[in-house]
Amino acid sequence: MPLLPAISTQDNSANRRGRWIGRLPYFVLALFLATIALLVWMTREYDAEEQQTSLITDVLWMEQNLRFQLDRNEALLQQVGLDLLRADRPSSQTEAQLRQLMSQDRGIVRVLWLDQHGRLKGALPPQTDSGLVGEADGTVPAESVMKLARAVGRPVYGPAYPVVGGKFNFEVHVPTWSDDAFLGVVVAVYSLSDLVVRELPWWFSERYRVAVLDPDGKEIAAKSKIAPLATYRSYTTPFEPPGHGLTLQITAYKGETRWMPVLLIASIVLFGVIIVWSVWQLRRQLARRQAAEQALRHESAFRKAMEDSVITGLRARDREGRITHVNPAFCRMTGFSAEELVGATPPMPYWDLDQLEHTLEVHDMVMRGGTPTDGLEVSLRRKNGERFDALIFEAPLIDPEGRHSGWMGSVLDITEQKRAMELARQQDERLQATSRLVTMGEMASTLAHELNQPLAAISSYNTGCINRLDAGQVDPSELRGVHEKIGRQARRAGEIIRRVHDFVRRAEPKREALDLNNVIRDAVGLIEADARKRQMRISSQLTPDLPALTADPVMIEQILVNLIRNGMDAMVATPAARREITISTRLLGNTLETRVCDHGSGIDAATVERLFEPFFTTKSEGMGMGLNICRSIAELHHGRLTFEPNPTGGTIFILTLPTERP
Ligand code: ADP
């Protein structure tokens, strides 16, 4: 079966291709989603970076702003320092400047001025106790800060220290000189929380939370009470000035939700889901289609194998008579290849040129749809010129839309079959002739006896005539009567000879209108003498005026002679009184029935089965062909030969023959 593996290899590669193509959209989709995810991630990264950058920028701005504020305050403190330390009482202008320093939201809660020994000269608002601010709380070595300021010759910031209320302050000591003479320091006390809260614009605090951490990382001042989440972006920078390990921690509140990327991602996910769903649907559809295709391929391979294996030629024609398909058997039958045949129009290359007209007529008849159901017999020609007989059955071709698209013909090469049939017919005929000869051989003695009678009669009439002539007593009228008798006897002898001749002669079956009763009479006439010899009677009950039968009289006679002889043979042991054969005829519808009844031995069960078999006989000299030939003849005339037991003993053979041919 080379066909199936070839198909399965094709199937496999097609399947592999199909699977690969089926997975391709998933690969592309995965790639697409990965690209989108990367893009989104990159956008978010870019966003985050941008936010970080803007946070840093804002922090730098804030730092700068604070530094600028503190620098400005330092400059102002330097300005007022000279006036405050030189004079006992500050001038009104200085006081105004001091108030300005305090009143504006600069984070300064107090300004103090100390002489070169660190003694408090004045303060605003006025100091009630005598110590320095830091010293008053006992936390800040304010003196060392002052010394440092004096030593470095520029403002120095002190560390932050807690004050009442959980707040923290820090100081800036601004040294003051007058012509190289150190006059003292002006100290500005800053409230850390005031500085942070007041100095920052509203928009900054909306975006960020600002906190000041001590060197241990503890929060000592904050712009907002809301604690930031760990996930919020934050930035820490040293708080310079005042320094001393203080750090500024700026935390960005979570930015407003950016709807565009969310929408983008949501729509991409949605489209992705839709694409996956539709690809999945498509795959299911594809799988269904593939299964159907597979089934179709198997079906068509199966049908092709079937078509290739049949020995019946198949050829399809369209409605114009053009050949559209031929199977290998048809090509083998005609000797033409499929390429030579497909597309051919009448006259076809395989038509018999000697019967072109007839074949064309048959073709036209088929095209008109007038195809006989029992097929058409035509003579065709092979490519090598050899003729062959074909039996063709045509059926209409109906396309899937239900339209009649042409004709499909099954062509059988019946040449061999016909030859065999002819051979069988000839053999049959020879057999019949042999059988007739055998029958005749058996009948020869009785025929001799039969002929003897008229001949003896003629002879005796003749002797009588001669005697009368010799005696001279010739009566012409008497002589005439004698001669008439001689003539009758001579005709009778002639008739016997004719019948024997007809019976023995090997002739082609004839079809002629005949009277069945006459044929029976002839048959009885042939066998009568034998019957008499065997002390048997043959009686007839013939229905008069039967319709004519179209048949071969000799063949029908042969059946009857056979049946009568078989009956006689079966009655050998029958008492003489009952040795009678009765032949009757009657009309049953369109059928003529002949019954041959005997009172013989009858037919036992073992014989019943084999009665009509060739060469089956129970007689020592029998041939066993009689009944077989009789049945063949009956069937040749579209009739039947059967038998049944005779109710009065013996057998009845029944021959039925149609009066009209079907
Ligand atoms: P044959 O007469 O040469 O034997 P047939 O074919 O005529 O061949 O008959 C076959 C056999 O059928 C006979 O040998 C006989 O046994 C049986 N047979 C035929 N006709 C009768 C009959 N009328 N009664 C009994 N047996 C019969």
Side-chain angles (χ1 to χ4, degrees):
M1 334 200 290
L3 191 67
L4 289 179
I7 281 174
S8 65
T9 321
Q10 264 181 15
D11 280 1
N12 282 348
S13 68
N15 274 355
R16 267 203 303 279
R17 213 173 28 247
R19 268 204 296 277
W20 193 84
I21 289 172
R23 281 175 191 165
L24 188 65
Y26 290 117
F27 289 136
V28 174
L29 189 70
L31 207 67
F32 171 71
L33 287 178
T35 314
I36 293 298
L38 188 75
L39 270 175
V40 168
W41 179 78
M42 277 169 70
T43 314
R44 285 181 69 85
E45 279 300 293
Y46 176 75
D47 255 18
E49 219 167 89
E50 209 169 89
Q51 275 178 16
Q52 187 75 14
T53 314
S54 101
L55 171 70
I56 293 167
T57 315
D58 285 349
V59 169
L60 286 178
W61 175 86
M62 185 196 83
E63 226 187 346
Q64 227 165 17
N65 193 37
L66 277 175
R67 189 185 290 274
F68 172 72
Q69 199 61 41
L70 292 172
D71 285 355
R72 219 161 50 125
N73 289 350
E74 275 174 33
L76 209 60
L77 285 167
Q78 256 169 350
Q79 261 182 40
V80 296
L82 212 59
D83 186 38
L84 284 171
L85 291 169
R86 258 205 313 237
D88 284 340
R89 282 183 58 83
S91 66
S92 57
Q93 187 198 350
T94 308
E95 265 183 25
Q97 279 177 327
L98 277 174
R99 274 197 196 88
Q100 189 190 352
L101 265 173
M102 311 267 311
S103 68
Q104 285 174 2
D105 297 335
R106 296 188 179 194
I108 296 174
V109 289
R110 175 165 292 161
V111 178
L112 307 110
W113 48 100
L114 312 171
D115 64 11
Q116 69 265 42
H117 306 294
R119 278 192 299 267
L120 181 69
K121 273 195 81 184
L124 196 80
Q127 181 98 345
T128 44
D129 50 42
S130 56
L132 279 177
V133 181
E135 280 174 339
D137 290 351
T139 51
V140 181
E143 204 177 333
S144 62
V145 180
M146 190 184 113
K147 277 182 183 157
L148 190 64
R150 181 179 176 177
V152 296
R154 58 181 174 80
V156 170
Y157 287 83
Y161 53 89
V163 289
V164 189
K167 293 188 172 180
F168 281 79
N169 287 355
F170 71 90
E171 297 165 359
V172 60
H173 291 233
V174 182
T176 309
W177 274 272
S178 170
D179 304 327
D180 292 341
F182 178 64
L183 296 181
V185 289
V186 182
V187 179
V189 181
Y190 284 97
S191 163
L192 207 53
S193 45
D194 280 5
L195 187 71
V196 173
V197 171
R198 296 212 176 112
E199 278 311 306
L200 293 175
W202 63 269
W203 60 266
F204 196 90
S205 38
E206 284 224 329
R207 274 201 218 164
Y208 306 108
R209 180 180 192 273
V210 181
V212 181
L213 310 181
D214 69 5
D216 302 328
K218 209 171 104 225
E219 193 175 286
I220 49 175
K223 169 86 179 179
S224 163
K225 291 286 166 217
I226 310 163
L229 293 176
T231 50
Y232 290 177
R233 197 178 302 281
S234 89
Y235 187 77
T236 312
T237 181
F239 189 10
E240 293 280 359
H244 296 281
L246 289 184
T247 46
L248 273 173
Q249 189 190 53
I250 295 94
T251 308
Y253 294 127
K254 202 168 169 67
E256 67 214 58
T257 315
R258 287 169 176 249
W259 285 108
M260 270 315 277
V262 172
L263 273 176
L264 194 73
I265 292 168
S267 52
I268 285 168
V269 167
L270 185 72
F271 285 134
V273 167
I274 291 172
I275 291 170
V276 168
W277 183 80
S278 41
V279 167
W280 179 66
Q281 284 291 330
L282 217 66
R283 268 188 70 103
R284 276 185 55 185
Q285 185 78 12
L286 210 71
R288 271 204 293 270
R289 183 165 283 211
Q290 267 176 354
E293 272 176 16
Q294 183 94 332
L296 207 68
R297 269 202 295 276
H298 279 297
E299 174 78 16
S300 87
F302 174 74
R303 286 194 181 273
K304 183 163 170 22
M306 211 160 72
E307 197 190 302
D308 290 351
S309 72
V310 292
I311 52 161
T312 309
L314 294 174
R315 59 119 178 69
R317 289 180 294 180
D318 62 16
R319 294 191 69 181
E320 279 71 50
R322 186 180 295 104
I323 295 180
T324 53
H325 173 78
V326 285
N327 76 336
F330 188 76
C331 295
R332 276 197 300 276
M333 204 180 282
T334 57
F336 290 98
S337 68
E339 289 73 30
E340 286 171 301
L341 292 173
V342 172
T345 47
M348 301 299 180
Y350 51 82
W351 281 9
D352 186 351
L353 296 177
D354 297 340
Q355 296 198 20
L356 208 57
E357 237 169 80
H358 170 69
T359 318
L360 203 62
E361 266 172 33
V362 170
H363 172 85
D364 290 343
M365 187 177 82
V366 171
M367 286 297 128
R368 285 196 305 272
T371 323
T373 45
D374 53 350
L376 287 158
E377 226 181 283
V378 284
S379 170
L380 300 177
R381 194 175 58 89
R382 300 188 214 279
K383 198 177 181 181
N384 61 12
E386 197 185 324
R387 283 209 181 85
F388 70 101
D389 294 306
L391 185 64
I392 305 177
F393 298 90
E394 297 280 357
L397 266 178
I398 308 296
D399 69 11
E401 280 76 43
R403 286 190 303 256
H404 176 204
S405 60
W407 299 93
M408 172 61 87
S410 318
V411 185
L412 287 170
D413 183 350
I414 53 165
T415 318
E416 279 309 311
Q417 194 183 332
K418 279 189 87 174
R419 197 172 294 157
M421 269 166 66
E422 178 60 23
L423 216 67
R425 194 188 62 77
Q426 285 172 5
Q427 270 176 353
D428 204 33
E429 227 166 69
R430 270 199 292 276
L431 216 65
Q432 283 182 36
T434 317
S435 159
R436 277 198 293 272
L437 284 174
V438 170
T439 313
M440 278 314 296
E442 286 169 0
M443 292 199 301
S445 58
T446 43
L447 277 169
H449 174 75
E450 186 87 343
L451 275 174
N452 231 6
Q453 275 187 345
L455 289 176
I458 289 167
S459 179
S460 73
Y461 286 135
N462 189 42
T463 312
C465 282
I466 290 169
N467 288 344
R468 295 279 165 92
L469 282 171
D470 287 347
Q473 353 168 301
V474 181
D475 178 357
S477 63
E478 194 187 4
L479 207 61
R480 185 185 165 78
V482 173
H483 275 285
E484 275 174 1
K485 282 181 183 165
I486 291 175
R488 248 201 317 278
Q489 290 301 327
R491 275 198 297 281
R492 192 179 157 203
E495 182 66 10
I496 291 168
I497 288 166
R498 183 192 62 75
R499 267 193 248 144
V500 171
H501 180 253
D502 273 1
F503 194 74
V504 176
R505 186 169 50 107
R506 208 175 132 248
E508 293 291 314
K510 280 186 272 181
R511 300 274 182 203
E512 58 185 56
L514 51 89
D515 180 354
L516 182 64
N517 290 345
N518 275 346
V519 180
I520 292 171
R521 279 184 208 108
D522 274 0
V524 173
L526 261 178
I527 215 158
E528 224 165 18
D530 193 20
R532 268 201 302 276
K533 205 171 125 194
R534 295 167 77 171
Q535 296 177 337
M536 291 175 186
R537 288 177 304 284
I538 303 175
S539 63
S540 307
Q541 293 169 6
L542 306 178
T543 308
D545 302 324
L546 287 177
L549 198 67
T550 310
D552 184 317
V554 177
M555 283 186 169
I556 305 297
E557 193 179 306
Q558 189 179 353
I559 297 178
L560 293 163
V561 168
N562 247 307
L563 295 181
I564 297 167
R565 276 183 55 76
N566 275 349
M568 285 177 12
D569 290 346
M571 291 196 297
V572 175
T574 308
R578 277 175 51 80
R579 285 184 195 164
E580 186 176 19
I581 288 181
T582 314
I583 305 168
S584 60
T585 52
R586 61 173 171 161
L587 178 68
L588 289 173
N590 292 333
T591 312
L592 286 178
E593 189 190 73
T594 310
R595 296 167 83 91
V596 180
C597 317
D598 64 58
H599 292 114
S601 56
I603 297 166
D604 58 41
T607 314
V608 165
E609 296 289 315
R610 311 188 54 202
L611 208 62
F612 292 96
E613 275 181 22
F615 305 111
F616 171 76
T617 180
T618 55
K619 301 168 196 167
S620 52
E621 306 89 27
M623 230 180 105
M625 284 306 297
L627 286 178
N628 182 270
I629 290 170
C630 289
R631 176 171 271 191
S632 304
I633 295 173
E635 282 168 2
L636 195 74
H637 288 84
H638 303 280
R640 295 183 70 210
L641 178 64
T642 54
F643 65 92
E644 59 185 41
N646 189 348
T648 56
T651 316
I652 305 173
F653 274 85
I654 305 156
L655 171 71
T656 49
L657 293 165
T659 50
E660 292 158 17
R661 283 205 61 194

